[in-house]
Structures are given as C-alpha cells and as structure tokens.
C-alpha cells in the first residue's frame, strides 16, 4: 500500500488578510487561481490513483472560507472516505462557518478531525468568539491557535523567506530541511493546486514568478506519460532528499529559529508597490 501522511487541498489562494510574511506568499503572487469543484475533484481523483491512503487531508488557502463551494467540495471528498483517515479545515478567524458548511462537516462523521482557527487578535480575527460558539453548539471539534498574546502558539511566525532567491548553500539548506516542521522522516506535506502536487507549497511561488523549477521536485498530476509507479518513485525520491532546490530560498520553521510578529499587515502603499513590481514581468 502506498501511503502519504499529509496532503493539503488548496481550492483557492484568495485571502481577506494581506500578511507581510505570509507563508504562501499570497500578496506577492501575480495570479490567484480559484478552482471549480470539478477541477479540484479531478486533481483529487488523480492523486488517489497514485496514493492508496492519505492519513490527513487539510483544506486551506488563502482563507478557504471565502471559497463559496467549500461545502460541496467537502461532500464530494467523502467519495474517497476509504482512502483517507481525517479531514481538517484551516481558517483565519474572520468568517463564521455557514449552516451549509456545518452540515457538510457533520456529514463527514468521524472522518472530520477539527477546525483549526488561527487567532490573530481582535483587530484581525474578529469572528473567533462567534466561530467558537457555532462549533461548540454543533459539537464540532476545533482548536484555536493563539497568535497574539504573550503565549503565542509555537512562539509566533518566522520570516521563511521569499523562495525566489537562493540565499542558502546546499549544505545550509540540508541543515534547515533536517529541522523543518514542513519536512520530516515521514515526508513533505503536498499541496494540491494548479494541477500539481507541490511539496511544502513553495514551488508554486516560483512557478508563479516564471522562474525555473526542477520538474523532479513536484508531481504533475496531469502528465499521463508518467506511470503511477513512476509517480510513486518520484514521491519517494522527494521525501528522501536531504533538501530540495526551493529549500535554498527558504529559512524553514523549526524550534529555536527567530520569531516575528504574526500577521503583520501590508499597508496600501506597500501593496501598491508590490503590484507595480509584479506588473513589470
């Protein structure tokens, strides 16, 4: 049986926050793609032809509760209930789950692990109390990650880098990858978006910028010239690598690395400068 520990489905990278140090680099992307449910299910179907069992599926973004068809997507995912163990949803505490979404989550039964609610304080994550109230009333498991008090979850954020420039030597990247929470002896967390399975979600940033990417370091789900066995072999090679090329542009996230204030918002002027820079390409 071919297994993967973590897969993140990303139906859209739209977000209602503009975080300067966004892990997915959303404010810095030239093209924000929103997939239809049909597109997401075709990618999921191709993934499950490669993988017999996924231990956890995370549905995220962006802010995934902006995705209007999220309830439909969750219901459709239950077609594969024998090929995954748990589902979780990550949200930034700005949107209260709709009744339709709550119903879809309840339909998952024991397959639903939790809502993961990132709380960036009253100024940003204004809906956390309402979200908690709705989830508790419906007896849905949740976890609130405190990213604003003195006792911040995981000590706060870290500046993971742009993933664009190679700022580390291969040796340095190997040391970072060895400690990074996004890479482990069990393999990377693969993000499914734009037809690829992207280990750690960083390759998408380079593809969006039009930069060269090593094709041996991600899975093209629509490349029918590659057999299922070859795709599995590639995944195993990726998971066993001491580091990948994009790791040289990333500072990683690990115990002891320098922390920064989470969810610092870009100003209108900064966003305008970013847009102007992107339009040059």
């Amino acid at each position: 049986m071919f297994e993967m520990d973590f897969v993140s489905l990303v139906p859209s990278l739209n977000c209602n926050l503009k975080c300067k140090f966004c892990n997915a680099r959303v404010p810095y992307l030239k093209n924000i793609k929103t997939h239809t449910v049909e597109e997401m299910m075709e990618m999921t179907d191709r993934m499950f032809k490669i993988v017999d069992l996924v231990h956890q599926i995370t549905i995220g973004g962006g802010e995934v509760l902006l995705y209007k068809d999220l309830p439909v997507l969750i219901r459709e995912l239950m077609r594969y209930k024998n090929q995954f163990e748990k589902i979780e949803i990550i949200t930034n505490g700005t949107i209260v789950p709709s009744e339709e979404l709550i119903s879809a989550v309840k339909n998952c039964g024991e397959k639903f692990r939790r809502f993961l609610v990132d709380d960036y304080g009253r100024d940003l994550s204004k809906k956390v109390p309402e979200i908690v109230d709705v989830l508790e009333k419906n007896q849905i498991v949740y976890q609130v990650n405190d990213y604003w008090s003195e006792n911040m979850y995981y000590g706060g954020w870290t500046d993971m880098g742009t993933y664009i420039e190679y700022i580390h030597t291969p040796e340095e990247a190997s040391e970072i990858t060895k400690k990074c929470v996004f890479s482990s002896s069990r393999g990377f967390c693969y993000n499914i978006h734009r037809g690829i399975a992207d280990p750690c979600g960083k390759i998408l940033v380079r593809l969006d910028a039009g930069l060269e990417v090593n094709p041996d370091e991600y899975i093209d789900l629509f490349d029918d010239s590659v057999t299922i066995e070859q795709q599995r072999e590639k995944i195993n090679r990726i998971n066993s690598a001491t580091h990948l090329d994009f790791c040289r542009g990333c500072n990683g996230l690990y115990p002891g690395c320098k922390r920064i204030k989470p969810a610092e918002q870009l100003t209108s002027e900064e966003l305008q400068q970013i847009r102007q820079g992107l339009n040059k390409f």
Side-chain angles (χ1 to χ4, degrees):
M1 177 178 287
F2 191 82
E3 303 179 24
M4 292 176 69
D5 275 335
F6 303 106
V7 167
S8 179
L9 298 181
V10 185
S12 175
L13 282 166
N14 279 325
C15 193
N16 50 9
L17 297 182
K18 305 299 179 185
C19 301
K20 184 175 183 179
F21 296 101
C22 173
N23 177 33
R25 302 292 295 173
V26 170
Y28 305 90
L29 297 177
K30 288 192 290 185
N31 303 295
I32 300 294
K33 169 70 176 176
T34 295
H35 289 289
T36 65
V37 171
E38 290 75 19
E39 288 171 336
M40 288 305 302
M41 293 314 298
E42 185 171 5
M43 286 185 275
T44 303
D45 182 63
R46 286 174 174 265
M47 178 191 72
F48 276 123
K49 286 179 180 176
I50 300 169
V51 183
D52 296 314
L53 179 67
V54 174
H55 293 287
Q56 179 171 299
I57 294 176
T58 298
I59 307 178
E63 170 46 54
V64 75
L65 266 64
L66 289 171
Y67 186 64
K68 62 182 180 62
D69 290 325
L70 181 58
V72 180
L73 176 61
I74 291 174
R75 290 185 184 277
E76 288 294 310
L77 284 173
M78 290 305 290
R79 291 176 5 208
Y80 304 96
K81 63 183 179 181
N82 295 326
Q83 286 185 261
F84 69 85
E85 292 180 349
K86 296 290 182 180
I87 295 179
E88 72 174 7
I89 297 172
I90 298 182
T91 179
N92 62 19
T94 61
I95 300 173
V96 179
S98 66
E99 290 185 11
E100 186 181 5
L101 178 56
I102 292 298
S103 175
V105 166
K106 285 184 173 181
N107 184 60
C108 295
E110 294 182 353
K111 290 288 182 178
F112 189 79
R113 183 185 179 194
R114 62 184 176 180
F115 265 91
L116 202 55
V117 184
D118 290 338
D119 183 358
Y120 300 114
R122 296 176 183 175
D123 292 339
L124 296 177
S125 301
K126 299 177 182 180
K127 299 293 185 179
V128 170
E130 294 177 60
I131 294 170
V132 168
D133 184 58
V134 166
L135 297 179
E136 288 188 347
K137 284 181 178 178
N138 286 278
Q139 298 181 313
I140 294 173
V141 178
Y142 68 90
Q143 175 181 319
V144 176
N145 291 335
D146 173 0
Y147 279 115
W148 62 272
S149 77
E150 294 181 356
N151 300 310
M152 284 189 287
Y153 180 71
Y154 216 79
W157 281 12
T158 182
D159 177 4
M160 297 188 70
T162 67
Y163 325 132
I164 298 296
E165 299 177 272
Y166 287 159
I167 57 178
H168 302 295
T169 66
E171 292 76 19
E172 290 170 339
S174 294
E175 286 302 310
I176 291 171
T177 305
K178 188 186 302 181
K179 299 179 289 185
C180 186
V181 300
F182 292 110
S183 171
S184 70
S185 59
R186 299 181 299 173
F188 288 88
C189 174
Y190 288 78
N191 287 252
I192 309 297
H193 187 66
R194 295 196 194 182
I196 67 172
D198 173 3
C200 204
K202 309 302 187 290
I203 283 176
L204 174 62
V205 178
R206 294 185 60 82
L207 289 173
D208 180 80
L211 298 175
E212 185 177 350
V213 174
N214 187 344
D216 292 331
E217 296 189 347
Y218 67 92
I219 305 301
D220 183 345
L221 295 170
F222 289 88
D223 186 355
D224 293 325
S225 70
V226 182
T227 67
I228 289 174
E229 189 56 40
Q230 288 172 329
Q231 296 281 42
R232 291 175 176 178
E233 289 173 359
K234 182 187 280 192
I235 291 171
N236 285 334
R237 287 197 301 271
I238 291 172
N239 289 342
S240 62
T242 58
H243 73 278
L244 302 177
D245 285 349
F246 68 79
C247 297
R248 294 183 60 193
C250 180
N251 294 318
L253 176 61
Y254 52 87
C257 66
K258 183 181 178 181
R259 304 293 165 166
I260 60 174
K261 179 182 177 181
E264 179 183 347
Q265 296 297 287
L266 291 160
T267 65
S268 298
E269 292 77 13
E270 288 172 326
L271 285 168
Q272 185 177 10
Q273 290 176 357
I274 291 168
R275 289 294 109 192
Q276 288 173 346
L278 293 175
N279 289 335
K280 291 180 181 179
F281 294 96

